[in-house]
Amino acid sequence: MAAFPKGFLLGAATAAHQVEGGNIHSDYWVMENLPHSMFTEPSSDAVDHYNRYEEDIKLLADAGLNAYRFSIEWARIQPKPGEWANEEIEHYRKVLECCRANGVVPIVTMHHFSSPKWLISQGGWESSETVTLFAAYCERVVQALGGLMGYICTINEANMGLQLASLMRDMKRFRPSARSETGDVQVGVNISDSGRIALSMQEAGEAFGCDSRGINTFLSLRTPEGDKLIMRAHEAARDAMKAVCPHLKVGVTLSLHDLQALAGGEEAAAKEWDEEFSHYLYAIKNDDFLGVQCYTRKRFNAVGAIGPEEGANRTQMGYEDYPLAVANVVRAVSRVFTGDIIITENGIATSDDERRVMFIKEALAGVQSCLDDGLNVKGYMYWSLLDNFEWQLGFSKTFGLITVDRVTQKR
């Protein structure tokens, strides 16, 4: 494999709630600990990255990587409305300083799925007030830490709520046990027990102090109005942070599939691409970069989305092991988006590290081909640095470059 150009960001990614542990003020902490929770297990102390970040960042640097994408947890910074936890801002200052001391470029995500509990009680991601609240949080953090930052992703996978709605539509055509046969969503969801879902939603409504229909976490099924609201939050946060620190490079990340049309599937694939990507172009045209997140492909025929070819290799997540997808997505994005692209997530859940190595080599060969063709790819972040908490699926899925024994927390 040819060497990447000077300044190319080659690194790994994590998300605060999935690795830090003890995120007690977040909506996910509430949902994980309901009597009929849809989570297979709670996050608890996760992999204790909150206390072990120095060890983990040094391991990243020692592996020859030069960038680390991680998230700052809003629920830690603002555990209650109007209450700012300066000690938590100082914690993230230390994380940023640790990156710099180890020659690692930090790529900071301001929101990675989890939100403060109080935000959900106030209407969450379908309330227009969230736009102002999110921008204020981002501005507060950048006022304190912006001098140590360079790249910022406002919101992780801003389109994920629509993807989950698409998954539910596909479920109407496929039996529940075959949900992964549709080339499904790239996040750990557990939808196998409809009865439990109803009980969990009822308990969540009580915990958040609202009707279960009013629970609008970031991964709730998105309405068209909520979809627009999230992009308004992105734009407001971007503008607020750049007003404080004009040097910052700010973008958003989107979850994208390599959409492949078989005979008769062209219209369905085009419609899906518009929903996943094209209709966001208005909101990202002034961004400094786009974070592309891709794990697999999705195929379409005249009926709609179909599963992988018979006998295709699958990951632990159930979708197809297809490392060529990320380069195909970069090429598709580059046809209409002329700004810089950072691959902010791409990886494989597997217990076979030899396959992980080959997946990375195959994916990076595709990235190299994009660079050879002059595309504006500025970096690649493998997901994930550490084995971690895959949301509703718990700790059973192993994406990590670093294995963690959760009994001892030994790396």
Side-chain angles (χ1 to χ4, degrees), residues 179-192:
R179 67 177 186 85
S180 61
E181 291 178 16
T182 66
D184 61 352
V185 71
Q186 300 172 156
V187 66
V189 292
N190 177 17
I191 54 175
S192 59

Side-chain angles (χ1 to χ4, degrees), residues 392-408:
Q392 289 186 348
L393 301 181
F395 293 96
S396 63
K397 311 305 177 187
T398 50
F399 282 92
L401 297 176
I402 300 169
T403 298
V404 181
D405 180 337
R406 290 195 61 249
V407 175
T408 65

